[in-house]
């Protein structure tokens, strides 16, 4: 059956101006890091993307190495853009990145001009696009001058391959330099993508001030702390969970055990607010950032997470209670 987008898709999702730009992002964006490559059925990936769009999520966050295998998530998006989402391109924000290892040899990693421009062109081919809306330097390169990396981003905009550019995981000091270089080149930095959650608050140590001062937007990845800030681990570690998988390098059983009392206390507070723990965690992060990137393995998770938009405000007492819980490690 031919897909037709929900005509009510724009009635509830808040859209927030990204820094001082003219671009607005949905409060909730969908990340395609996991579960959109060869490891999952295409039908499930399709169902998640279309459900997200029906709920007002217009921003889909990708990178050259998302899969598995690397590039597979962009191929999935390309297939959707050529079929179900054909005709909706101008309603979508498609972002991609380069900065982690993508192909063998000295030119397939980090932040050289050679790598960034070649990678963007490959991403465009995989998705069947003339341009991406946002292209990021995925991480800082300690060996490449920041002027070269930012110059490559500037070139991609001037070549019409990207409309906006951003950076990810840059420190406050690195961000200040990158923003200055891009400004001098005439291509402002639109957005910074850091990790940020109740359990990962490093950006509050200076980065948020730099972004506010410079008028740069922000979008948080891992706002649910790899699933810690969900109902998944309330009773411990399920046998089929990410934390139980010894091959998973992002969430260990030790991290769950250390945080378990905090997770349970935050869950009780979320219940008092009439939210799930995940919804409260997303709403909390949205006090600081422009948008949050959610991941999902099935459409129902997207529906639940988008429910955060219905209760974004916190009382002073609630914020104080959260701080007390987080301080009690």
């Amino acid at each position: 059956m031919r897909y037709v987008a929900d005509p009510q898709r724009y009635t509830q999702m808040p859209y927030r101006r990204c820094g001082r730009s003219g671009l607005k992002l949905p409060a909730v964006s969908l990340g395609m890091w996991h579960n959109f490559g060869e490891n999952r059925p295409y039908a499930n990936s399709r169902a998640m993307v279309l459900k997200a769009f029906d709920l007002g999520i217009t921003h889909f966050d990708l990178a050259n190495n998302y899969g598995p295998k690397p590039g597979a998530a962009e191929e999935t998006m390309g297939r959707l853009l050529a079929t179900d989402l054909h005709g909706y391109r101008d309603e979508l924000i498609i972002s991609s990145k380069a900065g982690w290892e993508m192909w063998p040899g000295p030119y397939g990693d980090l932040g050289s001009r050679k790598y960034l421009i070649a990678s963007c062109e490959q991403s465009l081919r995989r998705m069947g696009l003339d341009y991406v809306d946002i292209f990021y330097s995925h991480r800082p390169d300690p060996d490449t001058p920041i002027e070269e990396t930012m110059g490559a981003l500037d070139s991609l905009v001037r070549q019409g391959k990207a409309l906006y550019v951003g950076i990810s995981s840059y420190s406050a000091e690195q961000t200040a330099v990158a923003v200055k270089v891009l400004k001098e080149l005439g291509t402002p930095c639109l957005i910074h993508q850091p990790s940020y959650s109740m359990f990962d608050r490093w950006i509050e140590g200076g980065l948020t001030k730099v972004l506010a001062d410079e008028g740069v937007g922000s979008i948080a990845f891992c706002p649910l702390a790899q699933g810690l800030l969900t109902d998944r681990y309330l009773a411990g570690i399920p046998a089929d969970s990410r934390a139980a998988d010894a091959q998973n390098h992002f969430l260990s059983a030790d991290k769950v055990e250390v945080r378990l009392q905090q997770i349970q206390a935050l869950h009780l507070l979320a219940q008092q607010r009439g939210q799930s723990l995940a919804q409260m965690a997303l709403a909390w992060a949205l006090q600081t950032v422009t948008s949050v990137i959610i991941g999902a393995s099935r459409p129902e998770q997207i529906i639940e997470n988008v429910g955060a938009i219905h209760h974004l405000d916190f009382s002073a007492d609630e914020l104080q209670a959260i701080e007390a819980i987080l301080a009690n490690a």
Side-chain angles (χ1 to χ4, degrees):
M1 181 181 295
R2 178 176 174 271
Y3 168 72
V4 178
D6 188 334
Q8 303 300 313
R9 60 190 177 279
Y10 296 122
T11 58
Q12 296 189 59
M13 176 66 68
Y15 297 89
R16 299 165 150 207
R17 190 167 301 281
C18 192
R20 296 193 192 119
S21 77
L23 185 69
K24 292 182 178 180
L25 294 179
V28 178
S29 300
L30 181 63
M32 298 179 69
W33 180 21
H34 294 302
N35 303 319
F36 292 88
E38 296 178 341
N39 62 329
R40 293 291 188 272
Y42 172 76
N44 189 58
S45 298
R46 173 182 181 267
M48 288 192 289
V49 169
L50 299 186
K51 175 53 68 176
F53 187 44
D54 282 341
L55 292 172
I57 294 179
T58 53
H59 177 212
F60 297 89
D61 182 80
L62 297 106
N64 59 350
N65 63 335
Y66 288 179
K69 61 181 178 16
E74 290 182 331
E75 290 171 354
T76 296
M77 178 53 76
R79 186 172 172 184
L80 285 164
L81 288 167
T83 54
D84 296 292
L85 295 177
H86 181 71
Y88 294 105
R89 172 65 183 100
D90 291 336
E91 296 184 43
L92 304 175
I93 301 295
I94 307 294
S95 63
S96 192
K97 318 176 196 72
W100 292 91
E101 184 178 4
M102 185 61 186
W103 61 82
Y107 316 121
D109 198 0
L110 291 167
S112 71
R113 180 180 183 86
K114 167 76 172 174
Y115 173 51
L116 291 183
I117 290 180
S119 182
C120 183
E121 290 177 345
Q122 291 180 17
S123 294
L124 293 176
R125 286 196 295 271
R126 282 190 287 268
M127 292 189 282
L129 294 174
D130 296 323
Y131 66 90
V132 289
D133 297 278
I134 308 170
F135 193 78
Y136 291 86
S137 167
H138 206 162
R139 61 169 171 165
D141 181 349
D143 300 319
T144 297
I146 203 164
E147 290 81 3
E148 178 177 340
T149 303
M150 297 305 108
L153 296 180
D154 172 68
S155 292
L156 290 170
V157 171
R158 295 183 186 281
Q159 293 168 9
K161 296 171 184 174
L163 299 185
Y164 301 91
V165 297
I167 55 178
S168 179
S169 300
Y170 280 53
S171 70
E173 294 76 13
Q174 292 166 330
T175 296
V177 175
V179 169
K180 181 176 183 293
V181 171
L182 283 169
K183 188 180 296 184
E184 291 171 350
L185 290 169
T187 297
C189 182
L190 172 79
I191 192 167
H192 188 298
Q193 184 176 135
S195 61
Y196 184 60
S197 72
M198 289 180 175
F199 294 158
D200 180 12
R201 300 174 66 171
W202 71 272
I203 69 173
E204 297 171 12
L207 179 60
T208 52
K209 184 178 187 308
V210 171
L211 299 180
D213 290 347
E214 298 293 342
V216 177
S218 56
I219 182 167
F221 72 87
C222 293
L224 299 180
Q226 294 288 337
L228 279 177
L229 290 164
T230 70
D231 296 347
R232 182 74 161 139
Y233 297 100
L234 285 174
I237 303 173
D240 62 344
S241 68
R242 185 178 298 175
D245 182 1
Q247 303 301 314
N248 184 284
H249 304 298
F250 299 102
L251 182 61
S252 66
D254 289 344
K255 288 183 180 179
V256 177
E257 291 168 1
V258 166
R259 295 287 191 180
L260 185 56
Q261 288 187 336
Q262 289 177 315
I263 294 168
Q264 292 169 339
L266 290 167
H267 169 69
L268 290 176
L269 180 57
Q271 285 187 316
Q272 293 168 14
R273 283 172 49 84
Q275 290 181 304
S276 68
L277 174 54
Q279 289 169 342
M280 185 179 77
L282 295 174
W284 179 90
L286 283 166
Q287 308 301 297
T288 300
V289 298
T290 311
S291 180
V292 290
I293 300 173
I294 62 168
S297 59
R298 59 186 190 277
E300 291 76 16
Q301 290 175 322
I302 298 173
I303 295 170
E304 180 195 344
N305 289 342
V306 168
I309 67 175
H310 301 303
H311 193 176
L312 293 175
D313 296 330
F314 289 81
S315 70
D317 286 345
E318 287 171 336
L319 291 174
Q320 193 171 41
I322 289 170
E323 292 299 330
I325 293 168
L326 296 178
N328 186 27

